Amino acid sequence: MPHRRSLPSIHADARPGRVKRARTRSFGSRLARWASITVLAFIVVTALPVLLLRWIDPFTSAFMLRERIAASAQGDAQYRFRHEWVDFERISPHAAVAVIAAEDQRFAWHAGFDIDSIRQAMEENERGGRLRGASTISQQVAKNLFLWPGRSYLRKGLEAWFTVLIELIWPKKRILEVYLNVAEFGRGVYGVEAAAQTYFGRSAAKLTRHEAALLAAVLPNPKRMRVDRPSRYVISRQQWILDQMQGLGGTAYLAQLESRTRLAN
């Protein structure tokens, strides 16, 4: 009987290719699954503290911790940390209006980012003017509470993300309350209550317009600008802030925050 030569099997030759494609699809599926889990975990880990801090008052911030650790590492015996939380109702309305006038006059209306100020800052920087930022109060809260100083893309990206979370979860009044309690007003002096007690010997509830404007005047650089020994620049900035406070309508401006808070709730 003649020997029959077997023909090559098409299916047998194709099998390794199918296996390779299946393995590729399996790897892609695992990669996509792990990427989804990572993104979800990041959202939960970052959103949870923001959610809790809507009602729980933070006892410290990333900037406070960094400053205290640095002072301890350097063995700075003169460093003194001062901070005391006070609720919004125990803060002079002049202080609230002063920081808005100084730092973020569109605070009641923007969603965390002042696009016009960002555009103006970019144009000024491109013209070779003094390098300046355009951070809103919401961005400064995000940075002070959760992040570190610097200008890296990673930090700016995280700042933007936390700003979005804060604006989505907190009402405007809460954002301003936290800002007034974590802002630095001098070396080791954090929050408006500690600043009022340190520099004026009174509580934050009793700050006058002029005192509030002087505190707000040093916010851009509280380590170089002094409340207790104000330079000519700080004094001129204080007067500018007083003028801006009046232009905003004084403490009546806070009614807009109350309105936004009711809408958020």
Side-chain angles (χ1 to χ4, degrees):
M1 185 173 180
H3 177 70
R4 297 176 62 186
R5 186 175 61 181
S6 60
L7 297 175
S9 173
I10 297 176
H11 297 292
D13 290 343
R15 190 175 303 150
R18 289 205 304 271
V19 171
K20 184 177 181 180
R21 287 195 295 272
R23 288 176 178 173
T24 301
R25 286 197 297 269
S26 177
F27 174 76
S29 298
R30 289 198 302 271
L31 185 62
R33 183 168 62 252
W34 280 110
S36 300
I37 292 172
T38 301
V39 170
L40 181 61
F42 173 78
I43 293 173
V44 171
V45 167
T46 53
L48 183 59
V50 176
L51 177 63
L52 293 176
L53 289 175
R54 173 170 176 164
W55 298 282
I56 300 173
D57 300 332
F59 61 89
T60 189
S61 70
F63 269 46
M64 292 183 205
L65 286 173
R66 178 180 176 275
E67 188 80 9
R68 297 181 75 176
I69 291 171
S72 177
Q74 294 168 6
D76 189 349
Q78 295 183 336
Y79 179 80
R80 181 185 171 197
F81 175 76
R82 285 156 288 190
H83 175 251
E84 181 181 345
W85 179 277
V86 285
D87 294 334
F88 192 82
E89 290 70 26
R90 294 172 53 201
I91 299 173
S92 167
H94 297 306
V97 177
V99 298
I100 291 172
E103 297 291 295
D104 186 2
Q105 295 189 12
R106 297 184 180 91
F107 173 68
W109 309 112
H110 63 62
F113 307 94
D114 188 343
I115 304 302
D116 290 338
S117 292
I118 293 172
R119 186 182 300 113
Q120 291 171 12
M122 290 176 64
E123 291 174 353
E124 184 175 326
N125 295 339
E126 288 175 358
R127 289 194 299 267
R130 181 175 62 87
L131 185 65
R132 70 182 185 91
S135 293
T136 63
I137 285 175
S138 304
Q139 288 175 272
Q140 292 182 52
V141 168
K143 176 181 67 177
N144 289 348
L145 272 183
F146 302 110
L147 303 172
W148 63 92
R151 293 181 176 274
S152 68
Y153 289 114
L154 173 62
R155 197 201 67 81
K156 294 301 290 184
L158 288 172
E159 178 187 306
W161 170 247
F162 277 109
T163 299
V164 170
L165 290 177
I166 286 170
E167 282 281 344
L168 284 174
I169 297 173
W170 297 1
K172 287 287 187 177
K173 182 179 175 181
R174 177 59 172 174
I175 297 172
L176 185 57
E177 179 183 41
V178 173
Y179 177 74
L180 286 164
N181 276 283
V182 302
E184 184 180 9
F185 292 95
R187 189 165 187 265
V189 181
Y190 289 90
V192 67
E193 178 67 19
Q197 295 284 359
T198 299
Y199 301 121
F200 306 115
R202 66 179 74 208
S203 68
K206 296 181 179 179
L207 286 170
T208 66
R209 287 179 68 251
H210 286 78
E211 291 168 343
L214 182 57
L215 289 177
V218 306
L219 285 173
N221 196 335
K223 287 185 172 61
R224 290 184 57 187
M225 303 179 189
R226 300 286 297 267
V227 176
D228 51 349
R229 294 202 299 271
S231 64
R232 289 183 180 179
Y233 173 76
V234 170
I235 292 172
S236 67
R237 181 169 164 78
Q238 176 194 29
Q239 185 57 55
W240 178 84
I241 292 171
L242 287 168
D243 293 340
Q244 297 301 306
M245 291 167 67
Q246 184 176 355
L248 288 173
T251 56
Y253 181 93
L254 299 179
Q256 300 175 43
L257 293 183
E258 291 288 351
S259 175
R260 295 295 300 274
T261 295
R262 286 194 294 271
L263 289 173
N265 291 332

